[in-house]
Amino acid sequence: MGTLRLLENAPLVTRNTFRVPATASLFAEARDRAALDELFGYASLRNGPLLVLGEGSNLLFAGDPPGLVVSIALRGITILERDDDRALVRADAGVNWNDLVHWTLGHGLEGLENLALIPGNVGAAPIQNIGAYGSEVGEFIETVEAFDRDSGELRRLGRAACAFGYRDSVFKREGERWVVVAVEFRLPSRHELRLDYAGIREELAAMSIDTPRASHVAEAVTRLRTRKLPNPAVIGNAGSFFKNPQVAADVATALKAEHAALPIFPANNPALRKLSAAWMIENCGWKGHRDGDAGVSAQHALVLVNHGHATGAQLLDLAHRVATSVRERFGVMLEPEPRIIGARFDGSPA
Ligand code: FAD
Ligand code: EPU
């Protein structure tokens, strides 16, 4: 018998960073290998609706999750291979992401510094290929180990099979198929630091750092993020609520002709451009807007916030109105970044 922890009617309000209420009819948490094996043998893990819950920083409970909710809470980190130039690091799904970033830097390994302070755990990092300040995690992932609910087997997916894109991967596209158990990262001992994203060089200068090392970049990014984004420990939020829309280059040029101040960035696909959703939302007048406890952050227009007792349905309704006004003014569709549970984006039942 393993140590699988099972709870009926488990409250989820403290398990999501929006701090909205929801209930799991059955919640299972695996803290060790034996519990994980027990979980994989469990019939409802194979059949029916499933939500794998990490730290709840990229989802919105617009209703209760319809089936089993599981948490993969194994927390080991090991170096599998190492030579002078690089190492292969394996981290279990339940390791906190920012802890892993600092663990790798502390072990003389670079690469993850621009991704410091992103909330959530390691198991969720490949789901939307977390990215910030000019880096995406997929660049450093060698293998994702995941339970495949279709075949009932534990599988190892190489980077190509993960099909990483901007806030996208095979795991996000094949919604409920995969349960990520561990991630293996190939990290260099030294690499060219990425300092070009707006604000990094200025922050390093403010820290009086002339010759930055990776740990300085992590600190600069941490300082920038702390200033720019609302802290979920203070006010409920899930980071950017919408993805930055990607449009064909000629569409971006036409928008720029009409709205000269609209920030436009390159996309991974050279035929596309990324538009600043925050700028468009702010331009529609939503920044700092509040309907009861559901609001748009006054600090960053791309972040929806819960001022106290908003429900997921109220936040979803606000999100839908924000997206509608951006579509009417700019002709651009905004897509939510977080996973929405219990309803569709337009508010209809899931
Ligand atoms: P959860 O929110 O619990 O889950 C998110 C999704 O992943 C769900 O679909 C869930 O089912 C799935 N999932 C989680 N764990 C597993 C698993 N083991 N196996 C299979 N599926 C799983 N994201 C960025 O990319 N860049 C940013 O800069 C960034 N900044 C943020 C800032 C703030 C203040 C906040 C609140 C969020 C931010 N995010 C950012 C979003 C969020 O931090 C990431 O998406 C993170 O990876 C979510 O981790 P989590 O453990 O909280 O996942
Ligand atoms: N801007 C506004 N109004 C605002 C905020 C920003 O006009 O209220 C403008 C800024 O002036 C800037 C542009 O929008 O020109 C971009 O702003 P920022 O650098 O803050 O980046 P972002 O596009 O809003 C993205 C990611 C973040 C990530 C940062 C840094 C998405 C959806 N969001 O935000 O990721 O941390 O870049 O790399 O890609 C997340 O995914 O949850 C997240 C926070």
Side-chain angles (χ1 to χ4, degrees):
M1 197 58 192
T3 48
L4 189 65
R5 214 171 137 238
L6 287 173
L7 286 171
E8 281 181 16
N9 298 320
L12 299 173
V13 67
T14 58
R15 292 182 184 266
N16 73 94
T17 60
F18 260 127
R19 292 282 186 275
V20 295
T23 304
S25 53
L26 187 59
F27 180 85
E29 184 173 66
R31 293 187 178 174
D32 57 31
R33 195 75 221 183
L36 202 57
D37 290 342
E38 192 182 335
L39 182 66
F40 292 156
Y42 205 61
S44 23
L45 187 82
R46 288 293 304 279
N47 308 304
L50 175 76
L51 171 66
V52 188
L53 185 60
E55 296 184 10
S57 66
N58 208 33
L59 39 80
L60 176 64
F61 289 114
D64 290 335
L68 177 67
V69 177
V70 303
S71 162
I72 309 298
L74 283 76
R75 299 206 169 94
I77 310 178
T78 40
I79 295 183
L80 298 176
E81 292 168 22
R82 184 160 198 173
D83 62 24
D84 288 347
D85 300 328
R86 55 196 204 146
L88 185 64
V89 175
R90 179 183 165 96
D92 290 333
V95 173
N96 172 267
W97 173 257
N98 192 44
D99 287 351
L100 177 70
V101 171
H102 288 282
W103 189 97
T104 59
L105 292 169
H107 284 74
L109 296 167
E110 303 191 342
L112 304 183
E113 57 277 0
N114 294 50
L115 304 174
L117 208 67
I118 297 181
N121 66 25
V122 164
I127 308 301
Q128 72 156 3
N129 182 22
I130 54 169
Y133 291 87
S135 294
E136 286 182 338
V137 73
E139 306 167 58
F140 301 98
I141 289 179
E142 183 147 305
T143 306
V144 173
E145 194 171 288
F147 182 77
D148 176 4
R149 296 177 76 213
D150 283 359
S151 66
E153 283 167 7
L154 203 54
R155 299 254 311 265
R156 288 174 58 77
L157 285 84
R159 185 187 306 143
C162 296
F164 292 120
Y166 165 62
R167 298 294 189 271
D168 198 23
S169 73
V170 70
F171 310 106
K172 195 162 180 180
R173 286 198 287 275
E174 298 179 349
E176 297 193 358
R177 176 169 173 190
W178 303 99
V179 182
V180 173
V181 167
V183 183
E184 293 172 10
F185 301 87
R186 178 69 69 182
L187 299 173
S189 304
R190 282 283 167 273
H191 80 146
E192 204 173 315
L193 298 175
R194 294 188 194 160
L195 309 175
D196 289 337
Y197 195 95
I200 296 187
R201 288 182 199 278
E202 293 79 352
E203 201 61 36
L204 288 166
M207 290 157 57
S208 307
I209 305 291
D210 301 325
T211 322
R213 286 184 280 115
S215 56
H216 295 128
V217 176
E219 195 187 334
V221 166
T222 300
R223 288 165 56 127
L224 279 165
R225 294 182 64 98
T226 305
R227 237 182 8 248
K228 281 192 174 186
L229 291 167
N231 178 354
V234 176
I235 185 163
N237 76 84
S240 303
F241 194 87
F242 298 101
K243 295 194 255 184
N244 284 324
Q246 302 193 94
V247 298
D250 58 337
V251 174
T253 309
L255 278 165
K256 189 80 181 170
E258 228 179 301
H259 309 280
L262 168 65
I264 298 181
F265 305 100
N268 291 345
N269 177 342
L272 301 179
R273 301 287 179 273
K274 225 186 247 178
L275 310 176
S276 166
W279 189 91
M280 292 189 284
I281 294 169
E282 182 169 349
N283 241 261
C284 289
W286 289 104
K287 195 168 177 175
H289 176 93
R290 189 170 168 172
D291 284 336
D293 278 350
V296 175
S297 169
Q299 216 175 329
H300 199 301
L302 201 43
V303 181
L304 295 194
V305 289
N306 178 3
H307 287 279
H309 297 285
T311 62
Q314 287 165 338
L315 285 157
L316 190 61
D317 178 62
L318 175 59
H320 194 243
R321 284 183 288 126
V322 167
T324 302
S325 74
V326 167
R327 195 190 64 225
E328 285 168 358
R329 187 163 154 77
F330 298 97
V332 173
M333 306 284 281
L334 292 184
E335 260 179 62
E337 181 191 282
R339 175 156 166 204
I340 293 161
I341 313 283
R344 293 185 203 283
F345 177 48
D346 66 6
S348 63

